[in-house]
Amino acid sequence: MEHSKRTEQVVLSQRLKRFIVSFVCCLPMSLLGLLLMLLLLYNSFSVFSFHIDTIPPVQSTLSPTQYQILHHHASTSLSESDSSLLLVVKENSLGFVPKQNDSSTRTERRTKRVKRRIDSTSAITQRLQVKPRQRFKTRVKSFLSKSSCESLFFMTWISSIESFGDRERFTIESLFKFHPNSCLILVSNSFDCDRGTLILKPFIDEGFKMLPIKPDFAYIFKDTSAEKWFERLKKGRLSPGVIPLEQNLSNLLRLVLLYKYGGIYLDTDVIILKPLTDLHNVIGAQAVDAVTRKWSRLNNAVLIFDKNHPLLKRFIDEFSRTFNGNKWGHNGPYLVSRVIARINTSPSLDLGFSVLPPSAFYPVDWTRIKGFYRAPTNETEADWLRKRLTHLRKNTFAVHLWNRESKKLRIEEGSIIHQLMSHSCIFCNSSSLHSS
């Protein structure tokens, strides 16, 4: 029974095939060609068809801080400054989106270089923030406890040791000429080494008390408003601007050092003419208004303040609050001028300090400093020079030399500077009296 059914199915299938073949053969050739064309079109779509996948967005493998620093190095041209004082704070932020173009290989290489630089900066940051902290605190404490300082002086040197010349050395010489029992802390990375000790050896051999030491900013700035400012700078939340960062850090460093230790700060282009030990809590005016005869600008090249003085705190707060790295002097001379100008508008506010006239520290303006380096050429000039020297010796504690304007000038024999240096020297046969 089952066999007969399968036989019938096979017969029906054969009949159906014959019918289809007969039907196709009976069709007109035009219709047959149309069917073949449709078949070819279908096959072509199935064989040559394609699709486009959506491109996923590129995912950055950098951390947020690294991502910000990449843009800073790509969009600004910060110099590779001296690794000494301040490489720790070279991190900065804006934002960088790699440009997708034919130079992708170069972009990748550049990214790798920047990442290596970031890693190197992180390592240096750790080294400068841990090891110096242990040394700075203990070394300063030990130095002060052993030295019996009559007065405490601070200087900062933010440049390379090679640029420290006879002129800068003479500032130290004049300091100890009138303060032989005082102590000097020279805050500098470049001097805290064997070569720095060798340069300072003539002073050490004479028994003068000096400590060249690397700064530890985290420790020095701790518990002041400078601490948060410094953290923002390190984390890339604050741009250092176009003014050399070392210069602005020196402006802040002198304020905090005086606030925490008290003493006298001097720039390295100052000649001391007489003892400063009788001065307390003073700052000097650089210029005076010709009409009102009141000061029009102060300067921070010489600062003499007691420990924890409230004016210093105001200076530090002003620096941290209004920092601008794109304006020369904004965080230095202009800063102290702004703060004290505001204080003067509040007669009831007495912070216990004095503003000395320009004759105290800035008896000559930077635009006229060249005249101090020239010897007189006739009797009229010689008479003017004698009167100027008499005035300086009577009214002036120190002379700021405006090194940016005068460092290339030759000290002519018989000039005002030559005679002042002859009066303030310890090693009076030194070539610094005639150096150019």
Side-chain angles (χ1 to χ4, degrees):
M1 186 73 177
E2 292 179 357
H3 178 73
S4 62
K5 286 183 179 181
R6 284 197 297 272
T7 303
E8 289 178 0
Q9 289 176 352
V10 170
V11 172
L12 288 174
S13 175
Q14 290 176 349
R15 288 178 180 177
L16 181 60
K17 290 179 180 179
R18 291 194 199 99
F19 174 76
I20 292 173
V21 171
S22 300
F23 175 77
V24 170
C25 291
C26 293
L27 288 174
M29 291 300 295
S30 59
L31 184 58
L32 183 60
L34 179 61
L35 290 174
L36 291 174
M37 185 176 296
L38 292 173
L39 180 62
L40 287 174
L41 287 173
Y42 171 79
N43 287 336
S44 67
F45 274 110
S46 62
V47 172
F48 297 104
S49 64
F50 63 92
H51 65 278
I52 303 175
D53 292 329
T54 57
I55 301 175
V58 178
Q59 299 294 326
S60 172
T61 59
L62 301 178
S63 68
T65 301
Q66 293 173 334
Y67 191 71
Q68 294 170 342
I69 297 174
L70 278 175
H71 175 68
H72 174 68
H73 285 284
S75 62
T76 62
S77 57
L78 282 178
S79 62
E80 294 288 335
S81 62
D82 187 64
S83 64
S84 56
L85 202 51
L86 309 149
L87 188 53
V88 58
V89 289
K90 288 297 181 186
E91 299 180 11
N92 209 6
S93 90
L94 291 173
F96 173 68
V97 179
K99 190 175 182 180
Q100 301 296 327
N101 53 26
D102 295 336
S103 61
S104 59
T105 303
R106 290 197 302 271
T107 302
E108 291 176 2
R109 288 199 298 266
R110 186 175 187 179
T111 301
K112 290 179 181 179
R113 286 199 302 270
V114 174
K115 289 179 68 177
R116 285 197 298 270
R117 186 180 302 172
I118 294 169
D119 294 338
S120 175
T121 299
S122 299
I124 293 172
T125 299
Q126 294 175 0
R127 185 163 65 251
L128 290 179
Q129 294 304 305
V130 178
K131 293 182 179 179
R133 180 175 306 172
Q134 299 168 354
R135 292 196 303 267
F136 189 92
K137 180 179 180 179
T138 57
R139 286 178 63 193
V140 169
K141 183 178 180 179
S142 175
F143 173 72
L144 295 178
S145 63
K146 294 177 181 178
S147 299
S148 300
C149 307
E150 183 178 88
S151 299
L152 179 59
F153 285 80
F154 288 97
M155 292 182 182
T156 62
W157 184 251
I158 61 176
S159 302
S160 66
I161 197 168
E162 290 79 10
S163 59
F164 191 90
D166 288 336
R167 303 287 178 86
E168 291 76 20
R169 193 179 294 110
F170 192 83
T171 295
I172 300 176
E173 193 169 335
S174 68
L175 184 161
F176 285 120
K177 173 64 178 285
F178 297 101
H179 309 86
N181 298 316
S182 294
C183 300
L184 171 61
I185 296 179
L186 178 59
V187 182
S188 170
N189 250 8
S190 56
F191 266 89
D192 193 1
C193 62
D194 292 340
R195 186 176 177 187
T197 302
L198 185 62
I199 291 175
L200 302 176
K201 187 175 185 298
F203 299 101
I204 297 172
D205 289 345
E206 289 291 325
F208 298 124
K209 292 165 282 193
M210 302 183 62
L211 175 65
I213 187 169
K214 296 178 181 179
D216 172 23
F217 297 105
Y219 171 75
I220 295 171
F221 295 159
K222 186 175 177 59
D223 298 326
T224 71
S225 58
E227 182 178 15
K228 291 184 178 180
W229 174 88
F230 187 63
E231 286 299 317
R232 289 174 59 209
L233 190 70
K234 286 196 302 178
K235 293 178 180 179
R237 298 173 184 170
L238 182 70
S239 170
V242 299
I243 303 298
L245 182 58
E246 297 88 341
Q247 178 178 322
N248 281 321
L249 271 173
S250 176
N251 286 326
L252 179 59
L253 192 60
R254 68 189 68 179
L255 300 175
V256 183
L257 286 171
L258 288 182
Y259 182 71
K260 290 199 167 184
Y261 293 95
I264 303 169
Y265 171 82
L266 294 177
D267 271 357
T268 54
D269 56 348
V270 172
I271 296 178
I272 296 178
L273 305 184
K274 61 182 66 172
L276 305 177
T277 48
D278 290 336
L279 300 177
H280 296 280
N281 303 320
V282 299
I283 186 171
Q286 173 185 327
V288 171
D289 186 273
V291 177
T292 64
R293 304 309 300 168
K294 295 181 179 180
W295 65 263
S296 58
R297 183 184 299 176
L298 307 180
N299 201 292
N300 63 340
V302 181
L303 299 169
I304 305 175
F305 283 95
D306 294 338
K307 180 179 178 180
N308 295 327
H309 196 279
L311 182 60
L312 292 173
K313 183 180 184 303
R314 287 176 178 254
F315 288 158
I316 297 168
D317 292 345
E318 177 78 5
F319 185 102
S320 304
R321 184 175 62 253
T322 67
F323 175 81
N324 187 328
N326 296 313
K327 294 181 180 180
W328 188 93
H330 178 84
N331 312 299
Y334 296 134
L335 180 148
V336 295
S337 299
R338 289 195 307 271
V339 172
I340 295 183
R342 288 199 296 266
I343 292 173
N344 287 346
T345 60
S346 302
S348 60
L349 186 61
D350 184 9
L351 299 184
F353 69 94
S354 301
V355 175
L356 299 185
S359 59
F361 307 130
Y362 312 99
V364 59
D365 189 69
W366 64 270
T367 59
R368 299 180 179 180
I369 189 64
K370 292 181 180 179
F372 272 40
Y373 283 77
R374 295 172 184 160
T377 58
N378 54 54
E379 187 56 33
T380 301
E381 292 181 355
D383 184 60
W384 173 85
L385 186 146
R386 285 190 293 268
K387 292 179 180 178
R388 199 75 169 97
L389 279 172
T390 300
H391 184 270
L392 289 170
R393 288 166 179 162
K394 180 180 179 181
N395 301 287
T396 301
F397 291 93
V399 179
H400 188 235
L401 299 181
W402 309 106
N403 198 40
R404 181 177 295 183
E405 299 296 323
S406 66
K407 61 183 177 181
K408 295 183 179 180
L409 299 176
R410 190 177 71 87
I411 302 173
E412 298 181 7
E413 189 169 355
S415 66
I416 290 177
I417 294 299
H418 181 267
Q419 296 197 48
L420 293 179
M421 294 178 74
S422 299
H423 172 69
S424 300
C425 63
I426 295 175
F427 311 110
C428 295
N429 294 325
S430 170
S431 61
S432 63
L433 294 177
H434 305 280
S435 62
S436 58

